[in-house]
């Protein structure tokens, strides 16, 4: 008889539910932190609620915590799974595997381990890119996708030129910077508050100082800082994958979300070129950080979009024939 695997430890510290600050009232009554072996990596996910599965994928430089203001309401209708991406938060931080195809594969492994064959996904920023890869590579698994706050997946939609107006450059300069080997860690170490503080401030709208300080704290160690750059250092592989994905339009419903003070209508305009069923929404008054700057408006948009998935008979949420993942 094969011995059973040793139980995984309980996540703790400031990156977990038990250690995160300023959570909504009653949050810990519904949600718990768990480690899940997804195949190649162990992922940290915050899970709670009842209903069909809903996967939330954060952006950079955030963690699962970015969704905290939406999660209690969503948990009334869904089992909510808010995950830390590979390299981020309490998830494993290996040297490689940060291209969108592999990151999407991590999340397929996560949902397999949780017993969910078909699910809805919400992705923001880098989570948008991963959510798109999930939907394109695994259309049998993704019932619908809400993707927020970038003007389309890089490589699947036109990229901005190298030389752009100053205001745009200020918001995008981190992408080529983060792709450079070693130098970002050398320059940012000890100055995390300056670097990440600028990024939070420049992307439209404002976030409270204590919230930014919390994210900076989670990033202020060598492994976390290195892991946070992993997505960008695999950027070329992701672009090449998306150049192949774009020829296979998404067929499931897609909600394209833009912040009024950020990417606005450009999100929907980009997704209409690579998906067949796109609804667009612009969140009034919000910049890039839509789930934290305008949680009520974001929740209203998601609730309306997810209603058909929520209300569908269980049989309608079974997998369809699988397409080959892009690598």
């Amino acid at each position: 008889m094969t011995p059973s695997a040793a139980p995984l430890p309980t996540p703790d510290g400031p990156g977990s539910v038990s250690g995160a600050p300023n959570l909504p009232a009653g949050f810990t009554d519904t949600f718990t932190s768990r480690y899940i072996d997804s195949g190649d990596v162990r992922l940290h996910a915050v899970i709670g609620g009842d209903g069909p599965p809903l996967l939330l994928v954060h952006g950079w430089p955030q963690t699962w915590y970015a969704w905290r203001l939406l999660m209690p309401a969503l948990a009334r209708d869904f089992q909510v799974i808010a995950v830390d991406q590979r390299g981020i938060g309490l998830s494993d931080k290996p040297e490689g595997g940060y291209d969108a195809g592999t990151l999407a594969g991590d999340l397929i492994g996560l949902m397999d381990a949780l017993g969910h064959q078909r699910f809805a996904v919400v992705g923001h920023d880098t989570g948008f890119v991963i959510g798109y890869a999930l939907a394109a590579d695994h259309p049998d698994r993704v019932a619908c996708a809400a993707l927020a706050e970038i003007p389309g997946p890089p490589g699947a939609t036109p990229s901005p030129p190298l030389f752009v107006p100053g205001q745009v450059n200020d918001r995008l300069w981190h992408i080529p910077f983060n792709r450079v080997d070693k130098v970002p860690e050398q320059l940012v170490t000890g100055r995390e508050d300056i670097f990440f503080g600028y990024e939070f401030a420049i992307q439209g709208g404002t976030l409270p100082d204590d919230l930014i300080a919390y994210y900076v704290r989670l990033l202020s160690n060598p492994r976390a800082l290195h892991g946070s750059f992993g997505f960008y250092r695999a950027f070329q592989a992701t672009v090449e994958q998306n150049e192949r994905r774009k020829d296979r339009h998404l067929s499931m419903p897609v909600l394209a979300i833009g912040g009024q003070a950020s990417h606005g209508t450009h999100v929907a305009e980009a997704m209409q070129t690579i998906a067949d069923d796109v609804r667009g929404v612009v969140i009034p008054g919000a910049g890039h950080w839509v789930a934290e700057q305008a949680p009520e408006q974001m929740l209203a948009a998601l609730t309306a979009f997810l209603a058909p998935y929520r209300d569908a008979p269980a049989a309608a949420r079974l997998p369809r024939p699988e397409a080959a993942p892009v690598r």
Side-chain angles (χ1 to χ4, degrees):
M1 179 181 295
T2 303
S4 59
L8 294 173
T10 300
D12 59 10
S16 70
V17 166
S18 61
N22 302 320
L23 292 171
F27 193 93
T28 56
D29 295 332
T30 301
F31 293 98
T32 57
S33 278
R34 291 178 58 185
Y35 285 125
I36 309 291
D37 279 330
S38 68
D40 293 337
V41 293
R42 185 182 72 175
L43 298 177
H44 170 240
V46 176
I47 303 173
D50 294 307
L54 175 62
L55 177 63
L56 307 180
V57 191
H58 65 84
W60 182 89
Q62 298 165 297
T63 67
W64 72 268
Y65 187 78
W67 303 109
R68 71 199 177 282
L69 301 178
L70 308 182
M71 290 167 68
L74 290 172
R76 292 196 287 266
D77 293 318
F78 305 98
Q79 182 182 77
V80 175
I81 302 109
V83 63
D84 284 341
Q85 300 169 24
R86 172 192 294 239
I88 304 294
L90 296 181
S91 289
D92 283 351
K93 300 170 180 62
E95 279 299 309
Y98 293 94
D99 60 278
T102 301
L103 292 167
D106 288 346
L107 302 186
I108 290 293
L110 169 74
M111 299 306 272
D112 282 346
L114 293 173
H116 298 312
Q117 289 302 304
R118 194 161 167 80
F119 54 90
V121 62
V122 182
H124 170 257
D125 187 73
T126 57
F128 180 128
V129 181
I130 299 166
Y132 170 67
L134 265 174
D137 293 1
H138 306 277
D140 59 311
R141 306 294 297 273
V142 177
C144 55
L147 305 174
E149 258 306 295
I150 62 171
T157 54
S159 298
L162 178 61
F163 298 106
V164 294
Q167 184 179 14
V168 178
N169 184 77
D170 290 347
R171 296 176 60 196
L172 298 182
W173 77 283
H174 68 279
I175 297 176
F177 176 81
N178 290 355
R179 294 177 66 182
V180 177
D181 187 34
K182 298 180 181 178
V183 173
E185 287 93 333
Q186 294 169 346
L187 294 177
V188 173
T189 299
R191 307 175 185 86
E192 292 90 351
D193 57 335
I194 298 172
F195 176 68
F196 292 109
Y198 176 85
E199 287 303 312
F200 279 112
I202 200 64
Q203 299 297 337
T206 58
L207 293 176
D209 290 343
D210 62 340
L211 174 56
I212 296 172
Y214 170 71
Y215 284 127
V216 170
R217 177 185 176 191
L218 297 180
L219 289 159
S220 295
N221 68 76
R223 291 185 66 246
L225 192 59
H226 183 74
S228 78
F229 296 132
F231 174 90
Y232 296 93
R233 288 174 176 157
F235 210 76
Q236 186 60 41
T238 294
V239 167
E240 291 171 358
Q241 292 169 7
N242 285 343
E243 288 173 345
R244 298 191 294 275
R245 290 184 181 110
K246 68 182 180 183
D247 295 328
R248 192 170 64 222
H249 277 210
L250 302 185
S251 59
M252 72 286 292
V254 173
L255 179 66
I257 304 168
Q260 184 182 34
S262 185
H263 292 296
T265 60
H266 296 303
V267 183
E269 291 164 0
M271 289 308 299
Q272 285 165 355
T273 68
I274 54 174
D276 296 329
D277 182 3
V278 179
R279 307 122 198 233
V281 64
V282 175
I283 305 297
H288 183 63
W289 318 105
V290 285
E292 294 179 291
Q293 292 173 327
E296 292 182 2
Q297 296 95 316
M298 182 74 165
L299 181 62
L302 290 176
T303 300
F305 174 69
L306 293 169
Y309 166 69
R310 177 197 63 203
D311 298 336
R317 295 195 290 267
L318 293 176
R320 293 178 295 179
E322 186 172 3
V326 177
R327 291 289 187 266

